[in-house]
Amino acid sequence: MTETGLGALASKLPWVGTTIFTVMSKLAAETGAINLSQGFPGFDCSPELVKLVEKYLKTGFNQYAPMTGVPALREALAQKTEDLYGISYHPETEITVTSGATEALFAAITAVIRPGDEVLVFEPAYDSYVPAIELNGGIPVLVTLTPPDYTIDWETVRGKITDKTRLILVNTPHNPTGRVWTADDLAQLAALVKDRDIWIVSDEVYEHIRFDGRPHQSLATHPVLQERTFVCGSFGKTFHITGWKIGYCLAPKALTTEFRKIHQYLTFSTVTPIQHALADYLKNPVHYETLPDFYERKRNLFLESLRGSRFQFRPTEGSFFQTVSYQAITDEPDYDLAIRLTKEIGVASIPVSVFYRARNDYRILRFCFAKDDDTLLRAGERLSRL
Ligand code: PMP
Ligand code: GLN
């Protein structure tokens, strides 16, 4: 009891602190370091998109959007998915606009998981998955992937499946490793879940950012997977608008019905003028078709700037993150090194151990290369001094 007679609030997430993204971005700002830590573009979005938002802001589109999303945006998403993957999602019953992919992931996990259910999570894992599982009383069952290639051993995955397994979380292209799933990964997963009551949440926010001609293997493209998968996407990564927090969920009707029961009480609906603007902007495929080349050039520029350094790396397959090993330079823990590099050489990164539950430290740092060329070159030059 405190002096007021009020008991202490017992934390529902006792092991959770402030996210590493907030910690590192704050440190970068305080020290004036080049911030290649938190994943967000260092350049602005298209002026055409801003103009569209302005148009809808000024012409009275400022009240609640429908709970499921503005019809024109759901229709544009249906068209895009059909054009790219040949898969139809019905805009009325199978597509929901959300407040970022974070909300879509939380709502999908909440729709499926009851106390005691087991959820397979591949780690390193994006930081929002495990808290969302635990808040719903689920039990994360971790499948640990390791450098340098982070490939999945499907026999290990099979060994982790029990009668209690209700959900598997997938992320391709992957944050933080950049790994992109292959058609074989989809087939292996399909063989595992077939004939079982296991659902899937597939985080595909980096769908349009993959390199060297690799296709995006959406889980929507495999019939066995499609019928049980909530595909979560985000406009933040695709259109350089992470601050607008707008995403979506594609899922078959029965899954979407349950998803919407959660979504309507999490946020109800998402910012109206931006939905209208995105509906217009999405109609021109050039806006996302050019993204692989745009980011591949930046990845190559950043890696070229590290050529003379003692960092070891394989060119990232997708996402706007590059991981590098510093084993040849020092054996400091990755967290300590990320802090030291920010303070001493002025480049902020993310230590990859934070994406592992047991903080496995393989001496790897993650750099975000969604930055101006000049910033990437300056960062590369500083890192090469090590
Ligand atoms: N999933 C992954 C893998 C991400 O990297 C991010 C964000 N940066 C998100 C989800 C969250 O997306 P949003 O900002 O649209 O909520
Ligand atoms: N997804 C971004 C990253 O991985 C950050 C998102 C956030 O700050 N929550 O860096």
Side-chain angles (χ1 to χ4, degrees), residues 100-102 105 126 129 171 175 203 205-206 234 237 245:
T102 309
L105 291 161
Y126 185 60
Y129 305 160
N171 173 210
N175 178 7
D203 179 344
V205 301
Y206 299 103
S234 174
K237 319 291 164 179
K245 291 299 293 188

Side-chain angles (χ1 to χ4, degrees), residues 21 38-39 126 175 237 321 366:
F21 310 117
Q38 191 178 25
Y126 185 60
N175 178 7
K237 319 291 164 179
F321 301 116
R366 186 198 82 175

Side-chain angles (χ1 to χ4, degrees), residues 21 38-40 98-105 125-129 171-176 203-206 232-237 241-248 319-321 355 366:
F21 310 117
Q38 191 178 25
F40 62 88
T98 62
S99 299
T102 309
E103 195 232 330
L105 291 161
Y126 185 60
D127 69 340
S128 81
Y129 305 160
N171 173 210
T172 181
H174 187 254
N175 178 7
D203 179 344
E204 303 186 8
V205 301
Y206 299 103
C232 299
S234 174
F235 295 104
K237 319 291 164 179
I241 49 170
T242 60
W244 293 5
K245 291 299 293 188
I246 178 158
Y248 54 90
S319 81
F320 46 46
F321 301 116
F355 296 87
R366 186 198 82 175

Side-chain angles (χ1 to χ4, degrees), residues 13-45:
L13 295 170
W15 54 276
V16 166
T18 304
T19 80
I20 188 71
F21 310 117
T22 304
V23 171
M24 292 308 297
S25 275
K26 184 163 174 280
L27 184 64
E30 283 165 4
T31 56
I34 298 173
N35 188 4
L36 305 190
S37 63
Q38 191 178 25
F40 62 88
F43 35 81
D44 208 358
C45 64

Side-chain angles (χ1 to χ4, degrees), residues 206-333:
Y206 299 103
E207 164 187 16
H208 297 294
I209 312 181
R210 55 228 143 63
F211 310 124
D212 308 309
R214 275 181 193 82
H216 169 58
Q217 300 287 351
S218 175
L219 267 65
T221 60
H222 194 298
V224 169
L225 301 176
Q226 194 273 346
E227 65 181 10
R228 64 188 70 227
T229 298
F230 299 83
V231 175
C232 299
S234 174
F235 295 104
K237 319 291 164 179
T238 305
F239 296 140
H240 318 315
I241 49 170
T242 60
W244 293 5
K245 291 299 293 188
I246 178 158
Y248 54 90
C249 176
L250 315 176
K253 185 175 174 184
L255 275 60
T256 292
T257 302
E258 295 311 309
F259 178 94
R260 288 177 175 175
K261 289 180 190 174
I262 314 291
H263 163 74
Q264 72 179 343
Y265 297 126
L266 266 182
T267 57
F268 182 69
S269 67
T270 298
V271 60
T272 308
I274 290 179
Q275 290 196 54
H276 284 282
L278 284 169
D280 293 349
Y281 195 69
L282 210 51
K283 289 196 183 112
N284 184 352
V286 166
H287 294 143
Y288 49 83
E289 280 170 0
T290 46
L291 221 52
D293 284 351
F294 174 78
Y295 275 122
E296 188 170 319
R297 206 189 58 77
K298 291 203 176 285
R299 177 201 67 175
N300 293 348
L301 186 82
F302 181 55
L303 290 184
E304 206 42 57
S305 77
L306 290 182
R307 281 286 165 219
S309 77
R310 289 186 291 157
F311 288 107
Q312 293 159 331
F313 47 80
R314 295 180 175 197
T316 198
E317 294 178 357
S319 81
F320 46 46
F321 301 116
Q322 175 69 49
T323 55
V324 305
S325 162
Y326 60 86
Q327 256 167 351
I329 301 175
T330 165
D331 64 359
E332 282 171 83

